[in-house]
């Protein structure tokens, strides 16, 4: 049924519901708080008018007013999307793209103004009081045009100046402190949410682009600053609290001390390390089994915030799951295994019959054999799967995945790029990951990774990263030859291609069986060249992968042969907190049982930086620095002892006092 074919009362009921949904959105980001709060407040003032229209018989409502009400619904949809992003979107993005954000804001207010102007309060016999209220809202929409707060400009200039600086200075520290305070990025939870917001933007678009690269770099600088200001931020001590069973929190077993689990990795309900973290509608993350039990007990609120849940949908938190796996790998802990998904219910799409029919038409075009039809259909499917969860589910359920997989080997570069990007967008949905791998997609993705255009290769790498979030897929992807072309992309790709390849390789190498494959594919030499290249844009990723590979015998030997020690010592001396930590972790493995590397590191002056890292580094950085200091100190003591024995004068044996005693 078209919107204009609905009765006036039905349309108005939808409008009231939408305004109430908008009114429930809260906690707008600092940069847009004033404008967005004002917009939400003005929209809430429309409720009395809508309630009066609802009580009018449909036959009395003029057709022109019905059209205006439909326009208002569309404008409210746009307003809701805008306000949701202002509440949950990236704080850095809202500042850097302030012009685009404000253009969108003015575009939405113009739509609202146009729709409201078409509603004739006179012909509907709306009460004078409500009529005045609507006129006030219209006047406020008109006055709101073209305003930009000075705070936005100051923040924008601060972020740009920070992005353009390559060396820290006292003024940079002042800028960083001001940014952290104004953007409210003061703790690990704030930084994690910002990281997730950026990841969601990448996952939704499938195309990070230059602006997201810029934002990621800025977030890294802010994160490094926060960690430097408070090195213990990630692992608050809880000496007075007993850990829950199996949590692995600061448990001492003989001489081995288990690391403290960061708060953000624990389920707020069970307080255990999360295996399958999922996000609820309030933005909070829980262990899937725990929140399912909560919802199964007919609770309709968020356990942590007590806010009413607008939906019972559970969205997998892939970023957090990868961070947990990385943390487990770094601390020598077996990553938690996700429960089998065989018993979990499939996601259901809310797409209308008309939307499903449109998807079927597109799938028919995919099989038509006409290149032009295939180009347009893959492009449309790519866009449909870009933002909307319901579309991703409906497209997969209609049978698109095997058809898209078949098109990965097409000689037409445009169809191939659309097909791989559509699969990337579809893979955001949890249920689709298994379907994509089961459809035999991995060989086709590897083919694109080797032979496709640069844009297609980038998206192929991003798809492998998305699929490798599922543990069993790490094995499948590694066994089907994906690692060598990923290493090639890491070496010769565009900046975005290198980033995509690095994240995929990191995830794949969490599985022990893939580490040797990566080493034999030449990843170590590629990583070493990235560590020393001008600009150092891939240092974070290179060190994170080296830290994983160094625990493998082949990895350790190859890293040692690549003359890595001088580079690692330099990073420990001058790197960011996270990079110093990873460099120390690699050096611990190299020096274990190898005196040559230990002597080299000591001669390069590593002791002073290690002492500083042991005192001021991250929690893991402190442990690695302490291990290295103890190892090198023991070695030096042994060297001194051996030298002392060599230099000591040889004493002549004294004649025994019993020698001449005879028989007396």
């Amino acid at each position: 049924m078209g919107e204009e074919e609905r009765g006036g009362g039905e349309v108005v009921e939808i409008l009231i519901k939408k305004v109430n949904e908008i009114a429930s959105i809260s906690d707008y980001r600092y940069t847009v708080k004033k404008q967005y709060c004002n917009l939400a407040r003005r929209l809430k003032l429309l409720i009395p008018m809508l309630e009066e229209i609802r009580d009018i018989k449909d036959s009395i409502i003029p057709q022109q007013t019905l059209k205006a009400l439909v326009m208002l619904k569309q404008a409210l949809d746009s307003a809701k999307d805008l306000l949701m992003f202002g509440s949950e979107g990236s704080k850095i993005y809202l500042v850097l793209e302030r012009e685009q954000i404000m253009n969108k804001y003015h575009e939405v207010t113009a739509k609202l103004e146009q729709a409201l102007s078409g509603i004739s309060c006179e012909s509907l016999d709306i009460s004078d009081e409500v009529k005045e209220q609507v006129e006030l809202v219209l006047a406020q929409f008109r006055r709101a045009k073209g305003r930009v707060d000075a705070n936005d400009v100051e923040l924008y200039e601060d972020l740009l100046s920070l992005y353009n600086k390559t060396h820290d200075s006292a003024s940079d520290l002042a800028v960083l402190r001001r940014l952290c305070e104004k953007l409210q990025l003061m703790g690990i939870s704030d930084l994690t949410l910002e990281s997730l917001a950026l990841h969601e933007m990448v996952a939704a678009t499938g195309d990070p682009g230059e602006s997201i690269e810029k934002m990621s770099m800025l977030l890294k600088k802010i994160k490094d600053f926060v960690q430097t200001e408070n090195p213990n931020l990630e692992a608050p001590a809880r000496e007075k609290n007993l850990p829950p069973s199996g949590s692995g929190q600061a448990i001492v077993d003989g001489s081995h001390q288990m690391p403290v689990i960061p708060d953000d990795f624990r389920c707020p309900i069970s307080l255990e390390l999360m295996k399958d973290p999922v996000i609820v509608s309030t933005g909070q993350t829980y262990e899937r089994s725990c929140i399912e039990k909560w919802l199964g007990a007919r609770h309709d609120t968020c356990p942590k915030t007590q806010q009413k849940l607008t939906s019972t949908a559970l969205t997998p938190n892939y970023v957090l799951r990868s961070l947990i796996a990385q943390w487990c790998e770094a601390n020598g802990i077996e990553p938690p295994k996700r429960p089998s998904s065989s018993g979990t219910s499939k996601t259901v799409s809310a797409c209308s019959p008309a939307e499903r029919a449109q998807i079927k038409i597109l799938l028919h075009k995919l099989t038509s054999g006409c290149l032009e039809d295939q180009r347009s259909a893959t492009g449309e499917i790519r866009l449909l799967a870009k933002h909307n969860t319901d579309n991703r589910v409906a497209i997969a359920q209609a049978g698109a995945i095997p058809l898209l997989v078949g098109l990965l080997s097409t000689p037409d570069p445009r169809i191939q790029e659309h097909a791989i990007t559509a699969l990337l967008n579809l893979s955001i949905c949890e249920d689709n990951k298994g379907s994509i791998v089961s459809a035999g997609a991995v060989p086709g993705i590897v083919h694109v990774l080797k032979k496709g255009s640069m844009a297609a290769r980038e998206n192929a790498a991003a798809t492998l990263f998305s699929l490798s979030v599922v543990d069993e897929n790490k094995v499948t992807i590694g066994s089907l030859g994906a690692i060598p072309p990923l290493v090639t992309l890491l070496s010769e790709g565009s900046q975005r291609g290198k980033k995509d390849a690095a994240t995929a390789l990191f995830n794949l190498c969490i599985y022990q069986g893939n580490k040797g494959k990566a080493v034999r594919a030449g990843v170590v030499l590629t990583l070493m060249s990235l560590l020393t290249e001008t600009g150092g844009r891939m240092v974070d990723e290179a060190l994170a992968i080296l830290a994983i590979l160094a625990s493998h015998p082949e990895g350790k030997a190859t890293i040692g042969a690549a003359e890595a020690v001088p580079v690692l010592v330099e990073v420990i001396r001058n790197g960011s907190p996270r990079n110093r930590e990873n460099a120390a972790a690699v050096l611990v493995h190299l020096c274990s049982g190898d005196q040559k590397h230990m002597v080299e590191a000591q001669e390069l002056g590593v002791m002073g930086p290690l002492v500083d890292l042991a005192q001021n580094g991250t929690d893991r950085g402190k442990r690695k620095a302490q291990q290295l200091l103890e190892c090198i100190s023991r070695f030096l003591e042994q060297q001194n002892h051996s030298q002392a024995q060599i230099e000591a004068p040889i004493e002549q044996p004294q004649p025994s006092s019993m020698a001449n005693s005879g028989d007396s």
Side-chain angles (χ1 to χ4, degrees):
M1 187 190 296
E3 295 291 352
E4 291 181 36
E5 296 173 37
R6 297 180 188 269
E10 192 177 347
V11 172
V12 172
E13 283 289 0
I14 293 170
L15 292 173
I16 292 171
K17 181 183 176 186
K18 288 196 174 295
V19 172
N20 284 325
E21 286 172 357
I22 286 170
S24 70
I25 301 170
S26 60
D27 296 329
Y28 294 112
R29 305 307 198 202
Y30 168 81
T31 49
V32 294
K33 188 165 189 170
K34 182 179 177 182
Q35 294 96 328
Y36 284 24
C37 281
N38 285 339
L39 175 57
R41 179 177 52 76
R42 287 165 190 152
L43 292 175
K44 198 173 178 182
L45 292 174
L46 299 178
I47 291 282
M49 177 195 74
L50 295 172
E51 287 175 342
E52 288 197 16
I53 296 175
R54 180 180 59 188
D55 298 333
I56 298 172
K57 290 182 181 178
D58 285 355
S59 58
I60 302 175
I61 300 177
Q63 193 63 28
Q64 194 61 35
T65 299
L66 259 181
K67 286 183 178 178
L69 290 172
V70 171
M71 280 180 61
L72 182 58
K73 176 191 172 296
Q74 294 165 350
L76 287 174
D77 284 335
S78 299
K80 184 182 174 185
D81 289 343
L82 179 78
L83 294 171
M84 283 294 290
F85 192 83
S87 173
E88 299 173 359
S90 161
K91 297 174 180 179
I92 295 174
Y93 179 87
L94 286 167
V95 177
L96 282 183
E97 300 298 326
R98 62 188 174 76
E99 191 173 333
Q100 180 184 335
I101 294 293
M102 291 316 298
N103 285 343
K104 182 70 176 171
Y105 170 79
H106 294 312
E107 182 186 314
V108 167
T109 53
K111 282 184 183 177
L112 290 164
E113 182 191 340
Q114 184 183 359
L116 282 174
S117 299
I119 298 172
S120 173
C121 292
E122 297 290 344
S123 63
L124 294 172
D125 196 25
I126 299 294
S127 64
D128 289 342
E129 183 184 346
V130 170
K131 199 187 305 177
E132 286 175 10
Q133 199 161 290
V134 174
E135 287 169 358
L136 174 65
V137 171
L138 270 169
Q140 288 173 335
F141 279 150
R142 292 176 187 127
R143 283 202 303 271
K145 291 177 182 176
R147 289 183 185 166
V148 180
D149 285 357
N151 282 335
D152 288 2
V153 176
E154 183 184 35
L155 275 173
Y156 178 76
E157 289 174 350
D158 278 348
L159 281 172
L160 277 193
S161 73
L162 184 64
Y163 178 73
N164 293 323
K165 296 277 182 68
T166 54
H167 300 290
D168 289 342
S169 66
S171 61
D172 289 340
L173 295 177
V175 167
L176 279 162
R177 192 168 286 108
R178 187 161 62 242
L179 284 171
C180 290
E181 290 171 357
K182 287 190 175 180
L183 293 176
Q184 295 178 333
L185 295 173
M186 302 295 289
I188 191 67
S189 178
D190 303 327
L191 293 164
T192 302
L193 287 173
E194 178 66 12
S195 180
L196 285 170
L198 285 176
H199 172 80
E200 284 300 317
M201 289 174 68
V202 175
T205 62
D207 181 15
E210 196 175 316
S211 64
I212 302 254
E213 293 286 349
K214 182 189 290 187
M215 287 181 263
S216 297
M217 185 180 294
L218 286 166
L219 179 59
K220 176 188 172 300
K221 287 190 175 186
I222 291 170
K223 186 175 182 181
D224 288 346
F225 169 76
V226 172
Q227 288 179 322
T228 304
E229 290 281 294
N230 187 357
N232 296 317
L233 186 64
E234 289 183 297
R238 297 181 190 79
E239 292 85 0
K240 296 180 182 177
N241 296 336
L242 290 174
S245 79
S247 70
Q249 178 197 5
I251 302 172
V252 178
D253 177 18
S255 61
H256 180 65
Q257 185 176 17
M258 295 291 284
V260 177
I261 299 173
D263 275 352
D264 291 288
F265 295 172
R266 293 173 176 275
C267 171
I269 297 174
S270 68
L271 301 181
E272 300 280 353
L273 184 67
M274 286 187 273
K275 301 171 185 165
D276 190 9
V278 292
I279 305 168
V280 298
S281 62
T282 59
Q284 298 295 325
T285 295
Y286 298 93
E287 172 62 38
R288 183 186 291 275
S289 60
C290 294
I291 194 64
E292 283 178 344
K293 284 179 186 174
W294 172 267
L295 296 172
R298 303 197 176 205
H299 295 294
D300 62 353
T301 57
C302 172
K304 189 170 181 180
T305 66
Q306 295 305 307
Q307 287 178 272
K308 192 171 180 64
L309 295 169
T310 57
S311 163
T312 57
L314 303 176
T315 305
N317 192 334
Y318 298 124
V319 174
L320 186 60
R321 192 187 299 168
S322 287
L323 289 172
I324 290 171
Q326 178 184 352
W327 179 84
C328 290
E329 172 74 25
N331 288 281
I333 298 171
E334 182 71 22
K337 299 291 182 190
R338 291 178 58 227
S340 170
S341 59
S342 57
T344 58
S345 58
K346 290 279 182 183
T347 307
V348 178
S349 170
C351 283
S352 68
E355 289 167 326
R356 291 179 185 277
Q358 178 61 27
I359 290 169
K360 284 186 178 178
I361 292 170
L362 292 175
L363 298 197
H364 180 71
K365 286 185 177 181
L366 290 184
T367 59
S368 69
C370 169
L371 289 180
E372 194 52 49
D373 280 353
Q374 289 179 338
R375 256 184 234 115
S376 65
T378 50
E380 283 190 58
I381 290 170
R382 167 185 179 171
L383 290 174
L384 281 173
K386 187 174 180 179
H387 294 296
N388 190 301
T389 301
D390 290 325
N391 287 348
R392 292 179 197 124
V393 174
I395 290 166
Q397 289 175 346
I401 288 173
L403 300 178
L404 291 168
V405 169
L407 291 172
L408 294 177
S409 56
T410 178
D412 186 284
R414 197 66 185 149
I415 294 173
Q416 186 183 68
E417 185 183 329
H418 284 326
I420 188 64
T421 311
L423 286 170
L424 168 61
N425 294 338
L426 290 172
S427 74
I428 296 168
C429 175
E430 171 83 353
D431 293 337
N432 290 347
K433 292 183 190 293
S435 302
I436 291 170
V437 174
S438 299
V442 176
I445 297 170
V446 172
H447 170 75
V448 176
L449 196 57
K450 291 176 178 176
K451 306 290 186 182
S453 66
M454 182 53 71
R457 291 171 71 194
E458 290 166 357
N459 287 339
T463 306
L464 290 176
F465 165 71
S466 178
L467 297 176
S468 68
V469 166
V470 179
D471 289 336
E472 51 265 36
N473 289 349
K474 291 180 175 70
V475 183
T476 304
I477 293 167
S479 67
L480 291 173
I483 289 175
L486 281 172
V487 173
T488 302
L489 184 61
L490 181 65
S491 172
E492 64 184 35
S494 64
Q495 187 61 28
R496 183 195 155 195
K498 289 179 179 180
K499 294 270 186 187
D500 287 330
T503 52
L505 284 166
F506 176 87
N507 233 24
L508 290 170
C509 288
I510 290 172
Y511 169 58
Q512 185 73 7
N514 286 334
K515 294 178 183 178
K517 292 184 176 76
V519 173
R520 290 189 287 276
V523 74
V524 170
L525 288 178
T526 299
L527 294 170
M528 291 306 302
S529 69
L530 293 175
L531 278 179
T532 54
E533 72 176 0
T534 307
R537 290 184 291 179
M538 292 291 294
V539 171
D540 297 8
E541 293 84 354
L543 281 167
I545 299 171
L546 284 172
I548 286 182
L549 296 177
S551 64
H552 189 275
E554 285 182 71
K556 175 182 173 179
T558 309
I559 294 167
E563 299 181 351
V565 174
V567 179
L568 296 172
V569 171
E570 181 58 27
V571 173
I572 293 171
R573 181 179 287 116
N574 294 315
S576 69
R578 180 66 65 203
N579 289 343
R580 295 177 76 198
E581 169 194 312
N582 280 326
V586 177
L587 201 53
V588 165
H589 287 292
L590 293 185
C591 291
S592 176
D594 193 319
Q595 294 183 356
K596 184 183 83 168
H597 296 312
M598 210 179 303
V599 170
E600 185 181 5
Q602 196 265 334
E603 289 176 349
L604 288 166
V606 78
M607 297 298 279
L610 283 178
V611 170
D612 178 68
L613 182 60
Q615 294 171 346
N616 302 311
T618 62
D619 188 58
R620 177 173 173 246
K622 288 178 180 178
R623 291 200 309 274
K624 296 300 178 185
Q626 196 59 47
Q627 282 178 260
L628 277 168
L629 286 169
E630 290 172 4
C631 186
I632 295 173
S633 296
R634 278 198 305 271
F635 171 72
L636 291 176
E637 284 175 13
Q638 289 170 359
Q639 289 289 94
N640 291 338
H641 182 68
S642 300
Q643 190 65 28
Q645 284 186 325
I646 292 169
E647 293 175 356
I650 301 174
E651 296 183 5
Q652 295 297 321
Q654 298 294 322
S656 171
S657 59
M658 298 290 292
N660 299 316
S661 62
D663 295 327
S664 58

